[in-house]
Amino acid sequence: MAAVGILGGAGLVGLGMKHDGGSLPLAGFSDSAATSKSSPAPTGPTPEELAAQARAKQVTALNAALKQYAKSVPEFSVAVLDKKTGQKFSYRGTETYDTASVVKVQVLACLLMTAQDKGRDLTSTELSLAKRMIHLSDNDATTSLFNKLGKNPAVQACDKRLGLTQTKVNSAWGLTRTTVDDQVKLLAQLVSTSSPLDADSRKLAFNLMNHVDKSQDWGVPAAARTGEVFTVKNGWDTRTADSGRWVVNTVGRITGPSTDVSVAVLSHGHRSMADGIKVVEKVAKMTRQYLKY
């Protein structure tokens, strides 16, 4: 500040230097201006605030796109949980649907927890049945495990331990009712270190859902990119309450260098299984298009 001064009769006088017994004011500035100059300049939004604003725009745009698409197709719901950010998106997240074969993920989780509780690995028979249930969506294998575990009361108890609050297990397991919010919660428990499932159980669940039969790797995998890894379990069945129309569901996870998301799409009312597959794949891809995960 010594270079700032006023030109007086005695030459250049520095700011704060005495002259005629007093300090000279800085010419051209009032006290209020000097005070303003010392105040911090206004700052813009923080990076976190900018990210939140961008996220809000993405969510608004996706909701609008899904609502528009819903006008032309049967009923569906979708949820996405991003493991890297902890952020969740859901569209009609608490609407309930028949699970069809996606309930087999619940049966698998219950089987693994039950073995854990007894301090043992799966038996060779249990592992063989679990492979058939997940790889091939084999119904007889599922019924065998479902009965062995203790049917719907036992699986419901396992669901409670997994934090599922919107799922009602039916004695006819394919008619279990669930929501996409509960389904992404279940998928998260298959990878979370705080899950009731231990590391070995989580690894086995991943391996089983990562090796479904090629004919059944539709749904969530449609949103995966080249080089990414996916897990999936699909469900499909005709529904008496819908006059024989199709329930088509898909749940799974997509992982890559910068991606780790769980996705669930539930739907019903389709004229054919093929029509339902088109809808759930379109919806899964829309979430990626708008949320940019």
Side-chain angles (χ1 to χ4, degrees), residues 104 107 125-126 128-134 137-147 173:
K104 293 169 184 177
V107 176
T125 298
E126 289 171 337
S128 176
L129 290 170
K131 287 180 177 178
R132 286 165 50 197
M133 177 175 69
I134 301 299
S137 204
D138 186 283
N139 290 339
D140 290 340
T142 306
T143 298
S144 179
L145 289 173
F146 187 76
N147 292 342
W173 49 259

PDB file of all heavy atoms in Angstrom, residues 104 107 125-126 128-134 137-147 173:
ATOM      1  N   LYS A 104     -36.460 -65.266  -7.107  1.00  0.00           N
ATOM      2  CA  LYS A 104     -35.398 -66.260  -6.919  1.00  0.00           C
ATOM      3  C   LYS A 104     -34.140 -65.649  -6.324  1.00  0.00           C
ATOM      4  O   LYS A 104     -33.339 -66.355  -5.701  1.00  0.00           O
ATOM      5  CB  LYS A 104     -35.127 -66.965  -8.250  1.00  0.00           C
ATOM      6  CG  LYS A 104     -36.320 -67.809  -8.691  1.00  0.00           C
ATOM      7  CD  LYS A 104     -36.220 -68.328 -10.108  1.00  0.00           C
ATOM      8  CE  LYS A 104     -37.512 -69.081 -10.477  1.00  0.00           C
ATOM      9  NZ  LYS A 104     -37.520 -69.563 -11.872  1.00  0.00           N
ATOM     10  N   VAL A 107     -34.819 -65.930  -2.653  1.00  0.00           N
ATOM     11  CA  VAL A 107     -34.615 -67.315  -2.226  1.00  0.00           C
ATOM     12  C   VAL A 107     -33.121 -67.609  -2.107  1.00  0.00           C
ATOM     13  O   VAL A 107     -32.673 -68.233  -1.130  1.00  0.00           O
ATOM     14  CB  VAL A 107     -35.298 -68.294  -3.201  1.00  0.00           C
ATOM     15  CG1 VAL A 107     -34.996 -69.746  -2.812  1.00  0.00           C
ATOM     16  CG2 VAL A 107     -36.806 -68.069  -3.239  1.00  0.00           C
ATOM     17  N   THR A 125     -25.777 -80.417  -3.123  1.00  0.00           N
ATOM     18  CA  THR A 125     -27.152 -80.414  -3.644  1.00  0.00           C
ATOM     19  C   THR A 125     -27.708 -79.004  -3.680  1.00  0.00           C
ATOM     20  O   THR A 125     -28.324 -78.587  -4.671  1.00  0.00           O
ATOM     21  CB  THR A 125     -28.053 -81.317  -2.788  1.00  0.00           C
ATOM     22  OG1 THR A 125     -27.573 -82.666  -2.849  1.00  0.00           O
ATOM     23  CG2 THR A 125     -29.489 -81.266  -3.275  1.00  0.00           C
ATOM     24  N   GLU A 126     -27.507 -78.251  -2.586  1.00  0.00           N
ATOM     25  CA  GLU A 126     -27.989 -76.866  -2.539  1.00  0.00           C
ATOM     26  C   GLU A 126     -27.344 -76.019  -3.632  1.00  0.00           C
ATOM     27  O   GLU A 126     -28.025 -75.221  -4.288  1.00  0.00           O
ATOM     28  CB  GLU A 126     -27.687 -76.256  -1.165  1.00  0.00           C
ATOM     29  CG  GLU A 126     -28.546 -76.815  -0.050  1.00  0.00           C
ATOM     30  CD  GLU A 126     -28.073 -76.353   1.324  1.00  0.00           C
ATOM     31  OE1 GLU A 126     -26.877 -75.985   1.456  1.00  0.00           O
ATOM     32  OE2 GLU A 126     -28.886 -76.368   2.262  1.00  0.00           O
ATOM     33  N   SER A 128     -26.079 -77.034  -6.485  1.00  0.00           N
ATOM     34  CA  SER A 128     -26.596 -77.465  -7.785  1.00  0.00           C
ATOM     35  C   SER A 128     -27.983 -76.873  -8.038  1.00  0.00           C
ATOM     36  O   SER A 128     -28.271 -76.376  -9.143  1.00  0.00           O
ATOM     37  CB  SER A 128     -26.661 -78.988  -7.833  1.00  0.00           C
ATOM     38  OG  SER A 128     -27.245 -79.438  -9.041  1.00  0.00           O
ATOM     39  N   LEU A 129     -28.828 -76.892  -7.018  1.00  0.00           N
ATOM     40  CA  LEU A 129     -30.165 -76.324  -7.165  1.00  0.00           C
ATOM     41  C   LEU A 129     -30.104 -74.810  -7.366  1.00  0.00           C
ATOM     42  O   LEU A 129     -30.844 -74.245  -8.182  1.00  0.00           O
ATOM     43  CB  LEU A 129     -31.010 -76.643  -5.930  1.00  0.00           C
ATOM     44  CG  LEU A 129     -31.435 -78.110  -5.751  1.00  0.00           C
ATOM     45  CD1 LEU A 129     -32.042 -78.320  -4.370  1.00  0.00           C
ATOM     46  CD2 LEU A 129     -32.426 -78.532  -6.838  1.00  0.00           C
ATOM     47  N   ALA A 130     -29.204 -74.142  -6.638  1.00  0.00           N
ATOM     48  CA  ALA A 130     -29.064 -72.690  -6.771  1.00  0.00           C
ATOM     49  C   ALA A 130     -28.600 -72.311  -8.169  1.00  0.00           C
ATOM     50  O   ALA A 130     -29.068 -71.319  -8.747  1.00  0.00           O
ATOM     51  CB  ALA A 130     -28.082 -72.168  -5.731  1.00  0.00           C
ATOM     52  N   LYS A 131     -27.682 -73.087  -8.725  1.00  0.00           N
ATOM     53  CA  LYS A 131     -27.213 -72.821 -10.094  1.00  0.00           C
ATOM     54  C   LYS A 131     -28.357 -72.958 -11.086  1.00  0.00           C
ATOM     55  O   LYS A 131     -28.523 -72.122 -11.975  1.00  0.00           O
ATOM     56  CB  LYS A 131     -26.069 -73.768 -10.449  1.00  0.00           C
ATOM     57  CG  LYS A 131     -24.750 -73.441  -9.766  1.00  0.00           C
ATOM     58  CD  LYS A 131     -23.659 -74.425 -10.164  1.00  0.00           C
ATOM     59  CE  LYS A 131     -22.327 -74.053  -9.546  1.00  0.00           C
ATOM     60  NZ  LYS A 131     -21.255 -75.032  -9.899  1.00  0.00           N
ATOM     61  N   ARG A 132     -29.128 -74.028 -10.959  1.00  0.00           N
ATOM     62  CA  ARG A 132     -30.262 -74.209 -11.863  1.00  0.00           C
ATOM     63  C   ARG A 132     -31.298 -73.091 -11.700  1.00  0.00           C
ATOM     64  O   ARG A 132     -31.867 -72.605 -12.674  1.00  0.00           O
ATOM     65  CB  ARG A 132     -30.911 -75.574 -11.625  1.00  0.00           C
ATOM     66  CG  ARG A 132     -30.107 -76.755 -12.160  1.00  0.00           C
ATOM     67  CD  ARG A 132     -30.590 -78.072 -11.582  1.00  0.00           C
ATOM     68  NE  ARG A 132     -32.052 -78.240 -11.694  1.00  0.00           N
ATOM     69  CZ  ARG A 132     -32.740 -79.125 -10.981  1.00  0.00           C
ATOM     70  NH1 ARG A 132     -32.129 -79.910 -10.104  1.00  0.00           N
ATOM     71  NH2 ARG A 132     -34.047 -79.226 -11.140  1.00  0.00           N
ATOM     72  N   MET A 133     -31.508 -72.671 -10.457  1.00  0.00           N
ATOM     73  CA  MET A 133     -32.501 -71.631 -10.168  1.00  0.00           C
ATOM     74  C   MET A 133     -32.111 -70.303 -10.795  1.00  0.00           C
ATOM     75  O   MET A 133     -32.964 -69.597 -11.361  1.00  0.00           O
ATOM     76  CB  MET A 133     -32.646 -71.470  -8.653  1.00  0.00           C
ATOM     77  CG  MET A 133     -33.593 -70.360  -8.228  1.00  0.00           C
ATOM     78  SD  MET A 133     -33.853 -70.282  -6.429  1.00  0.00           S
ATOM     79  CE  MET A 133     -32.228 -69.724  -5.867  1.00  0.00           C
ATOM     80  N   ILE A 134     -30.834 -69.916 -10.713  1.00  0.00           N
ATOM     81  CA  ILE A 134     -30.392 -68.617 -11.201  1.00  0.00           C
ATOM     82  C   ILE A 134     -29.954 -68.680 -12.665  1.00  0.00           C
ATOM     83  O   ILE A 134     -30.362 -67.839 -13.476  1.00  0.00           O
ATOM     84  CB  ILE A 134     -29.257 -68.057 -10.329  1.00  0.00           C
ATOM     85  CG1 ILE A 134     -29.717 -67.908  -8.870  1.00  0.00           C
ATOM     86  CG2 ILE A 134     -28.764 -66.720 -10.880  1.00  0.00           C
ATOM     87  CD1 ILE A 134     -30.884 -66.962  -8.664  1.00  0.00           C
ATOM     88  N   SER A 137     -33.242 -70.288 -14.426  1.00  0.00           N
ATOM     89  CA  SER A 137     -34.553 -69.929 -13.881  1.00  0.00           C
ATOM     90  C   SER A 137     -35.446 -71.149 -13.734  1.00  0.00           C
ATOM     91  O   SER A 137     -36.654 -71.098 -13.990  1.00  0.00           O
ATOM     92  CB  SER A 137     -35.245 -68.872 -14.752  1.00  0.00           C
ATOM     93  OG  SER A 137     -36.183 -68.140 -14.002  1.00  0.00           O
ATOM     94  N   ASP A 138     -34.848 -72.242 -13.279  1.00  0.00           N
ATOM     95  CA  ASP A 138     -35.554 -73.507 -13.144  1.00  0.00           C
ATOM     96  C   ASP A 138     -36.555 -73.446 -11.983  1.00  0.00           C
ATOM     97  O   ASP A 138     -36.186 -73.214 -10.834  1.00  0.00           O
ATOM     98  CB  ASP A 138     -34.537 -74.632 -12.904  1.00  0.00           C
ATOM     99  CG  ASP A 138     -35.178 -75.997 -12.902  1.00  0.00           C
ATOM    100  OD1 ASP A 138     -35.817 -76.344 -11.879  1.00  0.00           O
ATOM    101  OD2 ASP A 138     -35.055 -76.723 -13.899  1.00  0.00           O
ATOM    102  N   ASN A 139     -37.827 -73.679 -12.288  1.00  0.00           N
ATOM    103  CA  ASN A 139     -38.874 -73.566 -11.275  1.00  0.00           C
ATOM    104  C   ASN A 139     -38.855 -74.717 -10.276  1.00  0.00           C
ATOM    105  O   ASN A 139     -39.105 -74.519  -9.079  1.00  0.00           O
ATOM    106  CB  ASN A 139     -40.246 -73.484 -11.938  1.00  0.00           C
ATOM    107  CG  ASN A 139     -40.454 -72.172 -12.665  1.00  0.00           C
ATOM    108  OD1 ASN A 139     -39.791 -71.181 -12.381  1.00  0.00           O
ATOM    109  ND2 ASN A 139     -41.377 -72.159 -13.606  1.00  0.00           N
ATOM    110  N   ASP A 140     -38.575 -75.926 -10.751  1.00  0.00           N
ATOM    111  CA  ASP A 140     -38.537 -77.071  -9.839  1.00  0.00           C
ATOM    112  C   ASP A 140     -37.417 -76.911  -8.813  1.00  0.00           C
ATOM    113  O   ASP A 140     -37.605 -77.231  -7.630  1.00  0.00           O
ATOM    114  CB  ASP A 140     -38.347 -78.376 -10.620  1.00  0.00           C
ATOM    115  CG  ASP A 140     -39.571 -78.743 -11.435  1.00  0.00           C
ATOM    116  OD1 ASP A 140     -40.674 -78.236 -11.122  1.00  0.00           O
ATOM    117  OD2 ASP A 140     -39.434 -79.526 -12.399  1.00  0.00           O
ATOM    118  N   ALA A 141     -36.271 -76.407  -9.251  1.00  0.00           N
ATOM    119  CA  ALA A 141     -35.154 -76.182  -8.331  1.00  0.00           C
ATOM    120  C   ALA A 141     -35.537 -75.123  -7.298  1.00  0.00           C
ATOM    121  O   ALA A 141     -35.216 -75.244  -6.106  1.00  0.00           O
ATOM    122  CB  ALA A 141     -33.909 -75.747  -9.106  1.00  0.00           C
ATOM    123  N   THR A 142     -36.242 -74.110  -7.755  1.00  0.00           N
ATOM    124  CA  THR A 142     -36.668 -73.049  -6.842  1.00  0.00           C
ATOM    125  C   THR A 142     -37.640 -73.579  -5.803  1.00  0.00           C
ATOM    126  O   THR A 142     -37.517 -73.293  -4.604  1.00  0.00           O
ATOM    127  CB  THR A 142     -37.336 -71.907  -7.628  1.00  0.00           C
ATOM    128  OG1 THR A 142     -36.452 -71.468  -8.652  1.00  0.00           O
ATOM    129  CG2 THR A 142     -37.683 -70.748  -6.709  1.00  0.00           C
ATOM    130  N   THR A 143     -38.619 -74.356  -6.236  1.00  0.00           N
ATOM    131  CA  THR A 143     -39.597 -74.925  -5.310  1.00  0.00           C
ATOM    132  C   THR A 143     -38.912 -75.810  -4.279  1.00  0.00           C
ATOM    133  O   THR A 143     -39.259 -75.766  -3.081  1.00  0.00           O
ATOM    134  CB  THR A 143     -40.657 -75.729  -6.080  1.00  0.00           C
ATOM    135  OG1 THR A 143     -41.358 -74.854  -6.971  1.00  0.00           O
ATOM    136  CG2 THR A 143     -41.650 -76.384  -5.129  1.00  0.00           C
ATOM    137  N   SER A 144     -37.936 -76.583  -4.711  1.00  0.00           N
ATOM    138  CA  SER A 144     -37.213 -77.452  -3.792  1.00  0.00           C
ATOM    139  C   SER A 144     -36.510 -76.644  -2.709  1.00  0.00           C
ATOM    140  O   SER A 144     -36.604 -76.955  -1.510  1.00  0.00           O
ATOM    141  CB  SER A 144     -36.198 -78.299  -4.566  1.00  0.00           C
ATOM    142  OG  SER A 144     -35.468 -79.137  -3.691  1.00  0.00           O
ATOM    143  N   LEU A 145     -35.823 -75.571  -3.096  1.00  0.00           N
ATOM    144  CA  LEU A 145     -35.122 -74.735  -2.123  1.00  0.00           C
ATOM    145  C   LEU A 145     -36.109 -73.966  -1.247  1.00  0.00           C
ATOM    146  O   LEU A 145     -35.900 -73.823  -0.033  1.00  0.00           O
ATOM    147  CB  LEU A 145     -34.192 -73.761  -2.847  1.00  0.00           C
ATOM    148  CG  LEU A 145     -32.955 -74.379  -3.503  1.00  0.00           C
ATOM    149  CD1 LEU A 145     -32.215 -73.334  -4.341  1.00  0.00           C
ATOM    150  CD2 LEU A 145     -32.010 -74.964  -2.442  1.00  0.00           C
ATOM    151  N   PHE A 146     -37.158 -73.454  -1.849  1.00  0.00           N
ATOM    152  CA  PHE A 146     -38.187 -72.696  -1.134  1.00  0.00           C
ATOM    153  C   PHE A 146     -38.789 -73.556  -0.016  1.00  0.00           C
ATOM    154  O   PHE A 146     -38.941 -73.099   1.132  1.00  0.00           O
ATOM    155  CB  PHE A 146     -39.260 -72.260  -2.134  1.00  0.00           C
ATOM    156  CG  PHE A 146     -40.307 -71.329  -1.595  1.00  0.00           C
ATOM    157  CD1 PHE A 146     -40.028 -69.984  -1.376  1.00  0.00           C
ATOM    158  CD2 PHE A 146     -41.601 -71.779  -1.337  1.00  0.00           C
ATOM    159  CE1 PHE A 146     -41.012 -69.106  -0.909  1.00  0.00           C
ATOM    160  CE2 PHE A 146     -42.584 -70.918  -0.870  1.00  0.00           C
ATOM    161  CZ  PHE A 146     -42.284 -69.578  -0.652  1.00  0.00           C
ATOM    162  N   ASN A 147     -39.100 -74.810  -0.345  1.00  0.00           N
ATOM    163  CA  ASN A 147     -39.671 -75.719   0.648  1.00  0.00           C
ATOM    164  C   ASN A 147     -38.654 -76.083   1.717  1.00  0.00           C
ATOM    165  O   ASN A 147     -38.974 -76.135   2.911  1.00  0.00           O
ATOM    166  CB  ASN A 147     -40.190 -76.977  -0.034  1.00  0.00           C
ATOM    167  CG  ASN A 147     -41.408 -76.713  -0.909  1.00  0.00           C
ATOM    168  OD1 ASN A 147     -42.074 -75.687  -0.768  1.00  0.00           O
ATOM    169  ND2 ASN A 147     -41.699 -77.632  -1.822  1.00  0.00           N
ATOM    170  N   TRP A 173     -44.584 -68.951  -4.674  1.00  0.00           N
ATOM    171  CA  TRP A 173     -43.500 -67.970  -4.648  1.00  0.00           C
ATOM    172  C   TRP A 173     -43.510 -66.980  -5.809  1.00  0.00           C
ATOM    173  O   TRP A 173     -43.122 -65.829  -5.662  1.00  0.00           O
ATOM    174  CB  TRP A 173     -42.149 -68.667  -4.545  1.00  0.00           C
ATOM    175  CG  TRP A 173     -41.892 -69.800  -5.499  1.00  0.00           C
ATOM    176  CD1 TRP A 173     -41.985 -71.135  -5.218  1.00  0.00           C
ATOM    177  CD2 TRP A 173     -41.504 -69.712  -6.871  1.00  0.00           C
ATOM    178  NE1 TRP A 173     -41.690 -71.891  -6.334  1.00  0.00           N
ATOM    179  CE2 TRP A 173     -41.377 -71.041  -7.361  1.00  0.00           C
ATOM    180  CE3 TRP A 173     -41.234 -68.663  -7.741  1.00  0.00           C
ATOM    181  CZ2 TRP A 173     -41.004 -71.329  -8.679  1.00  0.00           C
ATOM    182  CZ3 TRP A 173     -40.866 -68.938  -9.046  1.00  0.00           C
ATOM    183  CH2 TRP A 173     -40.754 -70.258  -9.506  1.00  0.00           C
TER     184      TRP A 173
END
